[in-house]
Amino acid sequence: MHRNIMVKVGIIAFFIVLFIYLLYPTIKFNYLMSETAKEDMKLEDPVAYEKLLDNSIKLGLDLQGGMHVAMEVDVPELAKALARNKDQRFEEAYEEAASIVEQEDRDFLTVLTQELEKRGADLARYYGTKSLRERDEILSYLRNQASEAVNRSLEILRNRVDQFGVSEPTIQKQGNRRIIIELAGITDPQRVRRILGQTALLEFRLLKDQQITQNVASRINEYMKGVLAEVDTLEKPEEEKDTTIVTPEELFGEMEEAAADTAEKDTLELEREKLFRENLFFTYPGDPQRLLVPRENELRLKRVLEDPDIQNIIQTEAGEAEFLWGQLDPSGEYYGIFLVEKEPELTGETIVDAYPQPGSGYDP
């Protein structure tokens, strides 16, 4: 009997220890670490941060709060943007249809069609092509465009949500026109609105010459090595002393001396010591205009590029230029960054229309 009780107690104790072991990463990440500590860990040791994040339980909106965002495709604006040869009749029909839909729960495209027909116009005048002539075909085309706009927006929003660093965000399509986004743990609603609500703009920027890119990369590397050397000179080795005799003053004064030494080290220097590490990036062998950044160095390099001294180096060597980040390579290990002109040479506002046309091997 006594042995059976001991076995049961042992099993219970084992599961309690196992439970605490498995739950500890969640407690540490969500309750024991401040936001500053999380940012420092993410900056200094991205691998350990990702491991801790993966081992912790993902808390939803009901447990840790966050934001619930509903976004909807503006069909009237889409219809107006797709229309060609817009005239007074179209503008009047558009305004009337928008007013009716605002007051009544009706399909905008159907109302717009009716308003155009009242004014002696039809959809083919504004939306027709060689392959689209009939009313029903054009309506089907416009509805497909609205549905495709939602699908394109889903992909764009997923890329934008990645900037928040939220683990397992919920992004899903609801109906034909609405997208629901749930971001657990987000505490800055203004930033969410700014990033999710910004309008995408097509821009064409010129790459800086490869020699300029190499000069900028070389100067930044030299500067980082100089910062590291400066930090090293601040750390003086301690003098050896006899440790066989320990006085009370030495015993209780040891912590005070350590605290004083830490206080003497400037906080800015500590931050720079964390950020400025060698080999944050390197040149891509096959393309001198592309720099490769290991995935774990992404956040650190972004912070480095915000440093005023680094900005001065870029301006001195390349003029009005900045680094643009590309996507991860197929291996998922490196980002590509490119030095480009700050001002775009061409924007989407300049392009009136564009058509795909296959080219040759010499003129793609």
Side-chain angles (χ1 to χ4, degrees):
M1 184 68 179
H2 179 72
R3 183 176 181 180
N4 291 337
I5 294 176
M6 293 301 296
V7 171
K8 291 178 181 179
V9 171
I11 293 175
I12 293 172
F14 170 77
F15 280 106
I16 291 175
V17 172
L18 180 62
F19 174 77
I20 295 174
Y21 172 77
L22 296 176
L23 194 61
Y24 177 73
T26 303
I27 297 174
K28 179 180 179 181
F29 185 81
N30 292 289
Y31 303 105
L32 301 182
M33 294 181 67
S34 64
E35 291 299 323
T36 303
K38 292 178 184 177
E39 288 296 326
D40 289 343
M41 185 178 184
K42 189 175 182 180
L43 183 67
E44 297 173 15
D45 195 349
V47 177
Y49 177 84
E50 290 295 333
K51 184 178 180 181
L52 179 63
L53 186 61
D54 291 340
N55 291 335
S56 63
I57 298 174
K58 309 302 184 294
L59 303 181
L61 287 175
D62 53 342
L63 294 178
Q64 65 171 333
M67 287 195 66
H68 178 94
V69 183
M71 306 188 75
E72 189 171 341
V73 173
D74 192 340
V75 175
E77 283 297 324
L78 177 63
K80 190 173 186 179
L82 293 174
R84 297 185 297 272
N85 306 318
K86 292 189 284 285
D87 53 16
Q88 185 65 27
R89 288 185 296 180
F90 178 86
E91 296 294 342
E92 292 176 357
Y94 177 86
E95 293 296 334
E96 183 65 23
S99 177
I100 292 173
V101 171
E102 187 175 350
Q103 299 174 8
E104 305 174 13
D105 186 16
R106 297 176 60 185
D107 178 59
F108 175 80
L109 295 176
T110 301
V111 176
L112 177 63
T113 303
Q114 294 171 352
E115 293 298 322
L116 286 172
E117 291 174 350
K118 286 181 183 179
R119 291 164 173 78
D122 59 9
L123 289 176
R125 174 180 176 82
Y126 307 104
Y127 300 101
T129 62
K130 292 181 180 180
S131 59
L132 292 176
R133 297 177 181 272
E134 300 298 327
R135 176 178 181 271
D136 291 341
E137 291 178 348
I138 295 174
L139 280 174
S140 177
Y141 163 76
L142 292 175
R143 290 193 173 95
N144 286 337
Q145 287 296 307
S147 179
E148 289 179 8
V150 174
N151 294 333
R152 290 193 298 268
S153 299
L154 273 173
E155 187 62 29
I156 293 171
L157 290 172
R158 286 193 179 97
N159 293 333
R160 292 181 180 180
V161 165
D162 288 342
Q163 301 180 38
F164 299 109
V166 178
S167 59
E168 299 183 7
T170 300
I171 307 174
Q172 59 187 3
K173 184 178 177 181
Q174 185 180 73
N176 295 324
R177 296 166 47 185
R178 184 168 293 182
I179 298 173
I180 302 299
I181 305 171
E182 292 183 351
L183 303 173
I186 291 297
T187 57
D188 189 354
Q190 295 300 327
R191 181 167 175 253
V192 172
R193 293 190 184 98
R194 184 177 67 254
I195 294 179
L196 295 184
Q198 65 187 358
T199 303
L201 178 63
L202 177 64
E203 293 182 342
F204 295 89
R205 301 195 193 186
L206 293 180
L207 279 170
K208 285 292 186 179
D209 184 76
Q210 65 181 34
Q211 188 59 48
I212 295 177
T213 301
Q214 294 299 310
N215 290 343
V216 170
S218 177
R219 284 287 309 279
I220 292 176
N221 275 326
E222 290 174 1
Y223 178 79
M224 289 192 296
K225 290 178 183 177
V227 171
L228 288 173
E230 182 181 347
V231 171
D232 289 340
T233 58
L234 294 175
E235 300 178 355
K236 297 180 180 180
E238 297 181 0
E239 296 181 359
E240 294 184 2
K241 60 180 180 179
D242 188 2
T243 58
T244 56
I245 301 175
V246 180
T247 64
E249 291 78 12
E250 291 176 338
L251 180 61
F252 294 103
E254 187 175 346
M255 293 182 61
E256 295 179 2
E257 292 175 4
D261 291 340
T262 304
E264 290 175 1
K265 194 164 186 178
D266 193 357
T267 304
L268 293 177
E269 292 297 338
L270 288 172
E271 290 297 325
R272 291 164 75 85
E273 184 179 354
K274 295 176 184 176
L275 287 176
F276 290 90
R277 308 277 176 84
E278 295 184 66
N279 302 323
L280 283 180
F281 61 87
F282 52 91
T283 305
Y284 181 62
D287 184 1
Q289 290 178 299
R290 180 191 304 178
L291 302 177
L292 293 182
V293 182
R295 185 175 183 176
E296 60 271 15
N297 290 344
E298 176 194 1
L299 182 60
R300 188 181 296 127
L301 183 58
K302 286 181 177 179
R303 296 272 295 274
V304 166
L305 293 177
E306 294 174 358
D307 187 273
D309 292 333
I310 297 294
Q311 289 295 319
N312 288 336
I313 290 175
I314 295 175
Q315 186 172 8
T316 301
E317 295 293 330
E320 294 299 319
E322 64 181 354
F323 281 104
L324 287 186
W325 288 73
Q327 299 293 327
L328 278 171
D329 66 357
S331 69
E333 296 181 0
Y334 300 99
Y335 285 99
I337 61 172
F338 306 86
L339 188 65
V340 300
E341 296 280 358
K342 273 190 177 181
E343 294 298 324
E345 294 295 316
L346 186 66
T347 66
E349 297 175 349
T350 311
I351 301 175
V352 178
D353 210 345
Y355 299 94
Q357 182 177 356
S360 64
Y362 299 99
D363 183 20

